[in-house]
Amino acid sequence: MYLHRLDLRAIGPYPDLVSIDFAALAASGVFLLEGPTGSGKSTIIDAVVFALYGGLAGAEASDDRLHSQHADPAVEPFVELVFETGAGVYRLRRTPQYHRPKQRGTGTVKQQASAQLFRLAGPGDAIGEPMSSRIPEIAIEVARIVGLDKAQFLQTVVLPQGEFARFLRSPGEERRKLLQSLFGTEVYDRTADELAARRRAVLAEVEGADAAVRDALARFAQAAGADDPDEAAVPETVAALRATADAAESERADATRAAAAAAAHEQSVTGRAVAAERRTALLARRAELDAGADAVAAARARVASSERAGRVAVVADGLDAARARADRARASTDALRSQHGLTADHDALTRRRTAVTDCLAAVRHRVDLEAAVPGRRRSIADAVARGALLAERLVELDATLDARPAERARIVEDARAAAALAAGSEAARLEVDRVRVLRAELVARAGSERRVHGAEQAVAAARTTAHELVRAEQHLRERRIAGLAGELGAALQPGDPCPVCGATEHPVVATPQDDHPTADAIEAAAERARRAERSLADAATTLALERAELDRLTDALGDTDDETVDALAAAADAAVAAAHAAAVRVRELEQQRATHDDTTRSLERQRNDVDAERAVLAAAVTSDTERLDQDTAAVALAVDRVTEHLGTAPETLGRGVEALDALVGRLDAVVEADVRAASAAADVDERAAEVDRVLSAQGFDDVASARADVLDQATAGALRAEVARADQARAVVDAGLAEPAVVAAADDDPQTLDLDGARAARDATAAAAEATVRAATSALDRAVASERCAVDLATAVRARDDTSARSRAVVRLADVAAGVASANPTGITLGTYVLMRRFEDVVAAANDRLRAMLAGRFTLETSDERESGSRSRRTGLALAVHDQTTDTVRDPRSLSGGETFTVSLCLALGLADVVQAEAGGVSLGTLFVDEGFGTLDPETLDDVIGQLSRLTAGGRQVGIVSHVEELKQRIPERIAVRRTADGGSRVTTTV
């Protein structure tokens, strides 16, 4: 992960906007974040961590330190960070929870924290694509994008005060969690968990298979009727049950055949006895029928004669009806001829009707033509008037279209002029941005002048204070030198040699004055003088930085002042407004041009439609006039034809057609009456001939004798019923005597048929067969059930054996992965084993740097044993320090402050190297080291700076957070943090 830019306002000691370009600072790889203690260096780190994770870097830090106490309470505090990972470039903006003044009234109101995440096309993208504005969703996205949670980020990217050596001193279990998340080895723990789950599953399958075998064996025992059978005895039991079932089935078949034979014999005896009785009854009935045969024959003859006479009577009745109809038809025809005055014969009337009908067919369709003539004349007149109007409209449209091109040319020219003016919008916007930058630099120059003035006063005050304190120190030293004899005299004892002359006698011993300065007082004065000189140096550094910033702003602005900027801003705003108005005018003119073109096309369509309609109307008037003349002549001819048939000319063709229709009706009525009369006469002749044929065929001389033999309906019905009953009875008797059983009964003697004995034999054999069927069914059911259960048992046994064989490999593999002692004596789990290999790479990378520091005294070593004091069952990630000087292995917690810092730094850098080298691992492009350098001597500091510089070869950014004076001379790129007179802090970047 690489940091590009950090912006913050009203955060910690920074009341104003602070912008830090990390990309420019890290161009050489290493940059310094320096400033006095408590000035706000760690707040920069806290701002980075807060932007990403919504919390602070230090574990003991309070969120209350986020909102600046030096800023206006109404100013919104925020932190905005632009960073880049393998997933892309992102901008994250967060505001902490704070209290702002109420908009109405007094007091404050709590403003809740907020966050916004954007995906950027590049570091310079000022807009970006919004991804989320919900804090929980952003937390998930940041963890996915960065690949680290807050704790991991603080261990590998930002190492804050007090937590630098946490990874070195943390127990193995905490190292395992961090390494697992960094290297993405959770898959191995999930693999072990999956193997454990499968181990439980296969053990459950084995237990289930055993239970299935026990259940199948119990079902077999129940089916076979055995107590506690053994698996080995199952085949013998099944064979014995099958043999018993086969024997019972043989007995059942024999008994069934005997019962069937007895039943068949009983049915045969019963049938023969019934047939003999039936034959006797049928013979008696036939004798009765023979006795009444003569009476039945007489009735049958009477019925036949009546039926023949009836056929003659029906035909004679039809002849009488036909003669009556012929008489009525002749009378009707005579009446119609007299009514219509038609005396011609039938053929003449038929010819006249045909001629009239042909005339109607030729002229009837012209009746509608005659009726439409007035309307058609009016339509032609209307069409002529419409054509004149269309011609006038066509002239108007041609004139309008001729004027359209000139109007369109004017609109196009106006749009071209407006577009030329609007083309300068980008240049005008850039000029506005340039003026805005100039105004901001003017404000910054004024602030820089105030800060330079304040820094000069601070330097003067610090110089005065330093000079006074140095003079005070010199005065004390001079006084001490002047009163040194008294100090020496006060220290002499009788008999001691004088430290000046060596004499042992001291006649006049000097005594110190009451206000003689002591060595402690002089040392305290010297310390005050040194502090004053350091303060003077800090003030001078601040002054130099402020003057450099002021010089930069002065060079950038030149002689530009507020009036110049105001004039430039007014001109730029006017240019932007003019370009904007021109752009609006361009859009309006484009709309006018489009509307003008649409209107022109509409007018052209109207002109074409009017011209086409005028041409169509002219052609239609000509053709309609010609057709009207032709139709009028045809109607006149039709009237002449109608007059020929009527004798007088009708008023109109329609009235003439109506008169002809009436004439055809009268002719049709007379002709049809003639046809009916002729048809009735022919029908009489045909029926008379038919009567003669029927009399001859039925054997009668005349119709009267035939009518005499016709029986009434009741008598005929009674005779037919009597004959039918006799015939049916005769047929029943003959059919019964022809039955095979009745025919065979003629040879049987009823005394020899033993029906009771046959029934007794049937019942006895049926009872015996039923008993054998029950026994055979029971034996077969038991044999089949036992065989089925035996098959189920064999299947369950095979499944148990297969499951047991398959489970052994799974159980062993799961035990090895879980570190079970019986399968894995080392007790190292699969996930820990993988992390051990990664951890060895981390330690090796740390030792590569550690050998170049502290004179190569220390190296790190890993161990498979549990760490002292750890109650975790996991092993393999213990860490120890090998002291090469004493050849002893030490606990990391026994190192001194400087040693702990150096070893921890090497371990953190080694961890970053290995993580970055891992395919798919987290790329750690930026590293912050917060404090700890003050514990190092110059030689060790050189080694540490060298190791940090080596990191930049791979493009990594290293930021050192420290107030150590020597680092300012070593690292030119820096972020300087200084306190202001009002208690806040400000930031100056040197690249």
Side-chain angles (χ1 to χ4, degrees), residues 723-783:
V723 171
R725 285 194 299 271
D727 292 342
Q728 184 179 4
R730 176 70 68 178
V732 170
V733 171
D734 292 342
L737 292 174
E739 292 177 1
V742 175
V743 173
D747 299 330
D748 286 336
D749 184 3
Q751 302 299 325
T752 62
L753 298 177
D754 188 6
L755 181 58
D756 294 336
R759 289 174 178 171
R762 180 202 63 189
D763 294 340
T765 55
E770 184 179 357
T772 58
V773 166
R774 287 197 298 270
T777 301
S778 177
L780 180 61
D781 290 345
R782 185 177 295 276

Side-chain angles (χ1 to χ4, degrees), residues 404-417:
R404 300 296 290 179
E407 184 180 357
R408 187 181 190 279
R410 180 189 61 75
I411 295 174
V412 171
E413 183 60 28
D414 292 345
R416 185 179 298 110

Side-chain angles (χ1 to χ4, degrees), residues 359 362-363 366 370 629-645 650 653:
C359 179
V363 303
R366 289 188 172 89
E370 181 188 40
D629 294 341
Q630 294 172 0
D631 292 341
T632 302
V635 169
L637 292 176
V639 170
D640 294 341
R641 290 190 63 181
V642 171
T643 303
E644 292 176 359
H645 291 282
L653 180 61

Side-chain angles (χ1 to χ4, degrees), residues 635-668:
V635 169
L637 292 176
V639 170
D640 294 341
R641 290 190 63 181
V642 171
T643 303
E644 292 176 359
H645 291 282
L646 292 178
T648 59
E651 296 178 0
T652 63
L653 180 61
R655 291 186 179 276
V657 169
E658 292 176 357
L660 288 181
D661 286 336
L663 177 58
V664 169
R666 293 193 297 274
L667 291 172
D668 285 341

Side-chain angles (χ1 to χ4, degrees), residues 560-885:
T560 303
D561 55 9
D562 290 338
E563 294 181 357
T564 303
V565 172
D566 292 340
L568 292 174
D573 293 339
V576 169
H580 177 72
V584 173
R585 178 59 178 165
V586 168
R587 289 195 296 272
E588 293 175 351
L589 289 173
E590 286 297 326
Q591 292 176 355
Q592 290 181 12
R593 184 190 59 79
T595 303
H596 181 276
D597 292 344
D598 292 340
T599 304
T600 301
R601 286 191 291 271
S602 177
L603 290 173
E604 290 174 347
R605 287 194 299 270
Q606 291 180 24
R607 194 263 178 204
N608 294 334
D609 293 342
V610 169
D611 191 20
E613 185 180 357
R614 184 187 61 79
V616 170
L617 280 175
V621 167
T622 301
S623 62
D624 288 348
T625 302
E626 293 176 354
R627 286 196 299 271
L628 179 60
D629 294 341
Q630 294 172 0
D631 292 341
T632 302
V635 169
L637 292 176
V639 170
D640 294 341
R641 290 190 63 181
V642 171
T643 303
E644 292 176 359
H645 291 282
L646 292 178
T648 59
E651 296 178 0
T652 63
L653 180 61
R655 291 186 179 276
V657 169
E658 292 176 357
L660 288 181
D661 286 336
L663 177 58
V664 169
R666 293 193 297 274
L667 291 172
D668 285 341
V670 173
V671 169
E672 289 175 1
D674 289 344
V675 171
R676 286 195 298 271
S679 177
D683 187 35
V684 169
D685 294 340
E686 290 177 0
R687 289 183 180 276
E690 184 181 2
V691 168
D692 293 338
R693 288 194 302 271
V694 172
L695 286 172
S696 175
Q698 298 301 325
F700 291 99
D701 295 333
D702 52 26
V703 174
S705 60
R707 290 183 187 277
D709 284 349
V710 175
L711 297 175
D712 60 88
Q713 187 175 0
T715 304
L719 292 175
R720 288 191 186 93
E722 180 181 354
V723 171
R725 285 194 299 271
D727 292 342
Q728 184 179 4
R730 176 70 68 178
V732 170
V733 171
D734 292 342
L737 292 174
E739 292 177 1
V742 175
V743 173
D747 299 330
D748 286 336
D749 184 3
Q751 302 299 325
T752 62
L753 298 177
D754 188 6
L755 181 58
D756 294 336
R759 289 174 178 171
R762 180 202 63 189
D763 294 340
T765 55
E770 184 179 357
T772 58
V773 166
R774 287 197 298 270
T777 301
S778 177
L780 180 61
D781 290 345
R782 185 177 295 276
V784 171
S786 62
E787 290 172 351
R788 184 171 57 251
C789 292
V791 172
D792 295 342
L793 177 61
T795 302
V797 170
R798 286 194 301 273
R800 179 190 62 188
D801 296 341
D802 293 343
T803 302
S804 298
R806 187 175 65 256
S807 67
R808 284 191 289 271
V810 175
V811 170
R812 174 168 176 75
L813 187 59
D815 290 344
V816 170
V820 178
S822 59
N824 185 355
T826 63
I828 300 175
T829 64
L830 176 62
T832 304
Y833 175 79
V834 174
L835 289 179
M836 285 172 59
R837 305 288 79 82
R838 299 291 191 277
F839 190 45
E840 290 172 357
D841 295 339
V842 173
V843 172
N847 285 333
D848 287 342
R849 291 184 170 83
L850 192 56
R851 292 188 185 95
M853 301 183 188
L854 299 177
R857 177 181 176 185
F858 299 109
T859 57
L860 294 173
E861 295 181 352
T862 61
S863 173
D864 293 347
E865 301 297 329
R866 291 185 178 88
E867 294 173 312
S868 58
S870 174
R871 289 182 288 181
S872 173
R873 71 179 184 86
R874 300 175 184 267
T875 61
L877 295 178
L879 187 65
V881 178
H882 188 180
D883 191 339
Q884 304 293 339
T885 304

